[in-house]
Amino acid sequence: MCGIVAAAANTNIVPVLVEGLKKLEYRGYDSAGIAVIGSSQIERVRSVGRVAELETASASTQSPTGIAHTRWATHGVPCERNAHPHISGSIAVVHNGIIENYEALRAELSAQGYVFTSDTDTESIAHLVESLLRNEPDLFTAVRLACRRLIGAYAIAVIDQRQPGKIVVAREGSPLLLGVSETGNYAASDASALLQVTRNMVYLENGDLAELTVGGVRITRLDGTPVERPVHVSQLSAAAVELGNYSHYMQKEIFEQPEALANTLEMIGGSKSIQPGMFGAEAGEMLADIDQILILACGTSAHSGQTARYWLESIAGVPCNVEIASEYRYRTSVANPRQLVVAISQSGETADTLAALRHAKSLGQTRTLALCNVPESAIVRESALRFITRAGPEIGVASTKAFTTQLAALFLLTLAVAKAKQRLNAEQEATFIEQLRHLPVAVNKVLDLENDIRDWAQRFADKHHALFLGRGRHYPIALEGALKLKEISYIHAEAYPAGELKHGPLALVDAKMPVISVAPNDELLEKLKSNLQEVRARGGELYVFADGDSEITESDGIHVLRLPEHYGQLSPILHVIPLQLLSYHVALVKGTDVDKPRNLAKSVTVE
Ligand code: G6P
């Protein structure tokens, strides 16, 4: 979604705003803008496209106080007129989120004589604050009163030319944190934007408002009650959000997977057994008592849930359903108070997943577990149990290391549930833990396939469609491979359980349709081989990711790459990696914008 940066300091803050936007660009990138307190009026610079263009356009702008925004369009097409900040009189506003009652506000404010120049919901906030300032000169109070009229999700930052040196920010539903320092105070959608100036972060709660000046910060609730929020020293390393030697964040994040997995699995340390406490203090009791699991997620996170379903049913023996969050939240479903509801989300702020979690709770299902990569996120805070993956910041829009660390966490959950249900003896437990511990090394070996995959990628660049096949716990991996290819190379790709091929998709197979098959050496391999023959018999070109010891051989029209070893239950974590690399290299050949694919956003905080 959109990203916000705001700064009140004792020097020119324009470079800080621009640098912060660059760090947030992954959140949204169709247009960007800044507004600063000028010598006589608000100075605003906006541009369509990337932050680099805004940087050039704002090179001569200077001020110690300002706000900035990078946009992912929801209301109104991407164009300069719709780019933030939006101005009304002497004030300027940036906003992330969605104002649901904006049409009513627009009608009311138009009737008062305000002229709207954009199609955005945000402009109604600007005019609303301006109208309130007529009776209430203090910006903080005017913004507070304005927020009480807003319905929806928002993080906003507001400046007023008549009150220089001051910024008012507020949050309800969309992320916003403050960065505090001796030389200035700041706000942003996430910590990565502020590491350039401070490590001291204050996380705002929903319903908080803050006033920032160079000298300090004050926070109140929407009713005006003052509140204190603790200062956290961010552990995020600045290097974690730098590209380093890599060409793209996606490439960096693919290659960070061994480390991300090792960090996520750190809590098993040298132990030979799983402690349910890693999911929260009450986990032991709760997991023993559940009779079903419901996983809610979107996008790539839903694919990790779909993979885990195979583990949870076969190892832990607990029935498991996986549902796309946007469907579940609006469906009349049968509630089961004994089921564990697991919300999986890299960002922890995806609007549909959060709403689905709340919906599940509203039906009396209070046994909830958040599996997230962002500790302070809304989904984590609203769940009874939690597991934080330690993937580090994921910047590339196409999710990679978040996915494999989610899978590792879900395998830990499987073991914890299996243990609570007495389905795991000590020997099995120790064997699984040993395999988990070896995972980072195994992933490293798979990454060595990059050169071969680069060669394959050349052959995909002129294709318009691709089919991915998998079976069993590797079917969701085929889904994830197809999603990756779609997202960043814009090649239409679909995934099927290989057994379903003959029920329709086989009609599409010809020499122009590459068929990519996830073919681990598991109990379904023989069945899969028959499905591959069905493809070959129709002239289809097969690209097979097999395991070292499997008997699939190269022949005319059948290309095979081998992963070093078969990895049993954990094999999906290895098999997704060549698919990530394939889509990355196809995108490179096609010359698309790998880290910021068109029309997409990293975290979708609107419906
Ligand atoms: C967006 C991203 C995907 C991600 C999905 C769910 O669509 O582009 O990469 O998988 O949101 O995000 P979450 O943060 O909830 O895992």
Side-chain angles (χ1 to χ4, degrees):
M1 279 311 72
C2 309
I4 291 177
V5 194
N10 51 17
T11 50
N12 174 28
I13 46 68
V14 173
V16 174
L17 295 179
V18 170
E19 190 54 33
L21 286 187
K22 284 185 185 166
K23 293 288 184 289
L24 295 183
E25 208 176 10
Y26 72 92
R27 298 177 63 85
Y29 38 80
D30 57 45
S31 49
I34 62 170
V36 299
I37 302 285
S39 49
S40 59
Q41 57 178 28
I42 296 260
E43 287 174 26
R44 173 172 66 175
V45 185
R46 298 184 290 178
S47 66
V48 175
R50 299 294 156 83
V51 174
E53 283 156 53
L54 180 74
E55 184 172 27
T56 313
S58 63
S60 59
T61 310
Q62 293 202 356
S63 173
T65 314
I67 56 179
H69 188 265
T70 175
R71 178 170 189 249
W72 187 75
T74 52
H75 288 86
V77 295
C79 62
E80 193 172 325
R81 190 171 56 82
N82 286 334
H84 300 212
H86 289 284
I87 288 182
S88 181
S90 65
I91 68 133
V93 175
V94 290
H95 163 225
N96 168 25
I98 207 144
I99 303 302
E100 286 172 7
N101 60 334
Y102 85 102
E103 278 171 335
L105 289 172
R106 198 176 171 113
E108 177 187 321
L109 291 157
S110 299
Q112 288 176 30
Y114 286 99
V115 177
F116 283 75
T117 58
S118 78
D119 309 317
T120 65
D121 51 345
T122 307
E123 195 179 357
S124 54
I125 308 178
H127 294 314
L128 181 62
V129 173
E130 209 282 336
S131 73
L132 290 162
L133 272 174
R134 294 184 176 190
N135 297 321
E136 170 49 71
D138 175 45
L139 181 65
F140 188 78
T141 311
V143 173
R144 187 167 67 75
L145 297 176
C147 288
R148 295 180 69 152
R149 302 268 336 264
L150 302 179
I151 298 173
Y154 56 82
I156 57 170
V158 189
I159 51 172
D160 182 358
Q161 178 68 28
R162 289 175 301 185
Q163 303 179 53
K166 190 190 280 185
I167 299 170
V168 179
V169 300
R171 102 162 255 209
E172 177 62 53
S174 301
L176 194 69
L177 52 82
L178 310 182
V180 293
S181 84
E182 299 275 290
T183 51
N185 290 301
Y186 308 85
S189 303
D190 82 38
S192 64
L194 300 182
L195 285 177
Q196 52 167 330
V197 280
T198 182
R199 289 197 162 272
N200 298 330
M201 308 291 172
V202 175
Y203 292 91
L204 296 181
E205 300 276 334
N206 282 336
D208 279 356
L209 261 94
E211 182 181 86
L212 320 179
T213 59
V214 63
V217 165
R218 74 173 165 116
I219 307 173
T220 76
R221 303 290 295 157
L222 275 188
D223 64 4
T225 316
V227 280
E228 294 283 332
R229 301 282 174 226
V231 177
H232 296 267
V233 180
S234 173
Q235 300 303 319
L236 205 63
S237 86
V241 287
E242 299 295 344
L243 252 188
N245 292 330
Y246 293 97
S247 310
H248 297 95
Y249 282 106
M250 184 179 179
Q251 185 192 29
K252 176 177 184 245
E253 288 156 7
I254 290 173
F255 280 87
E256 277 173 350
Q257 288 179 108
E259 194 190 343
L261 283 163
N263 290 342
T264 300
L265 294 168
E266 203 173 64
M267 53 267 292
I268 55 176
S271 165
K272 285 192 164 49
S273 74
I274 290 290
Q275 302 308 324
M278 68 175 71
F279 296 94
E282 302 155 49
E285 214 174 301
M286 207 183 274
L287 297 184
D289 197 42
I290 56 167
D291 63 359
Q292 203 171 347
I293 294 177
L294 171 64
I295 296 180
L296 302 170
C298 304
T300 289
S301 295
H303 293 156
S304 73
Q306 283 172 278
T307 312
R309 177 170 180 248
Y310 289 86
W311 292 332
L312 286 160
E313 297 216 345
S314 68
I315 301 172
V318 178
C320 175
N321 289 313
V322 184
E323 203 158 338
I324 296 294
S326 55
E327 286 294 310
Y328 175 74
R329 64 183 287 196
Y330 291 118
R331 188 168 75 80
T332 305
S333 54
V334 180
N336 171 6
R338 275 189 68 195
Q339 88 180 333
L340 178 71
V341 178
V342 182
I344 309 176
S345 173
Q346 186 283 128
S347 60
E349 62 170 87
T350 299
D352 282 322
T353 310
L354 180 59
L357 172 68
R358 288 178 179 159
H359 178 65
K361 285 165 69 177
S362 75
L363 298 176
Q365 302 168 126
T366 52
R367 294 151 188 221
T368 53
L369 164 67
L371 215 151
C372 284
N373 195 37
V374 180
E376 294 293 331
S377 60
I379 289 175
V380 172
R381 282 185 294 171
E382 296 192 22
S383 300
L385 304 178
R386 65 202 50 199
F387 185 97
I388 307 300
T389 50
R390 298 207 198 150
E394 191 180 65
I395 308 292
V397 165
S399 184
T400 52
K401 62 177 180 170
F403 179 68
T404 43
T405 52
Q406 283 168 355
L407 288 176
L410 285 160
F411 198 76
L412 289 175
L413 177 67
T414 303
L415 298 186
V417 177
K419 207 171 158 186
K421 298 286 177 196
Q422 291 166 358
R423 297 255 316 185
L424 202 62
N425 64 38
E427 196 187 327
Q428 290 165 322
E429 189 178 357
T431 307
F432 280 135
I433 290 178
E434 203 37 54
Q435 287 177 358
L436 279 170
R437 212 171 272 132
H438 180 58
L439 200 52
V441 175
V443 169
N444 231 347
K445 288 193 212 152
V446 178
L447 289 168
D448 288 342
L449 293 175
E450 189 182 24
N451 281 338
D452 297 318
I453 293 171
R454 196 182 281 126
D455 293 343
W456 276 16
Q458 301 291 338
R459 306 186 211 170
F460 282 73
D462 62 342
K463 300 287 190 267
H464 297 289
H465 309 277
L467 208 53
F468 285 71
L469 301 178
R471 289 194 81 126
R473 55 185 175 265
H474 294 86
Y475 165 51
I477 297 306
L479 285 169
E480 178 58 10
L483 177 63
K484 290 281 90 81
L485 195 67
K486 274 189 273 233
E487 281 179 311
I488 61 166
S489 75
Y490 315 147
I491 293 176
H492 166 232
E494 283 192 72
Y496 273 89
E500 192 64 8
L501 194 63
K502 54 192 173 293
H503 297 295
L506 203 51
L508 297 171
V509 170
D510 62 14
K512 288 193 210 137
M513 168 82 97
V515 178
I516 298 118
S517 181
V518 186
N521 199 5
D522 64 10
E523 58 286 0
L524 292 169
L525 184 63
E526 287 310 312
K527 304 263 175 227
L528 183 74
K529 278 163 120 178
S530 320
N531 304 138
L532 301 187
Q533 286 313 320
E534 292 161 9
V535 172
R536 203 47 217 131
R538 272 89 189 165
E541 193 95 351
L542 277 159
Y543 294 85
V544 183
F545 289 100
D547 288 339
D549 44 1
S550 79
E551 284 169 16
I552 295 185
T553 41
E554 290 245 5
S555 62
D556 192 27
I558 306 187
H559 314 278
V560 182
L561 274 183
R562 288 178 198 284
L563 276 66
E565 54 190 314
H566 176 57
Y567 219 74
Q569 287 282 359
L570 288 166
S571 163
I573 303 181
L574 300 193
H575 267 274
V576 75
I577 287 164
L579 304 186
Q580 297 169 343
L581 284 168
L582 181 66
S583 57
Y584 173 70
H585 283 288
V586 173
L588 283 193
V589 178
K590 292 197 72 177
T592 59
D593 192 341
V594 174
D595 285 332
K596 302 184 190 77
R598 69 185 181 203
N599 306 341
L600 301 181
K602 182 71 186 159
S603 59
V604 182
T605 52
V606 292
E607 262 197 82

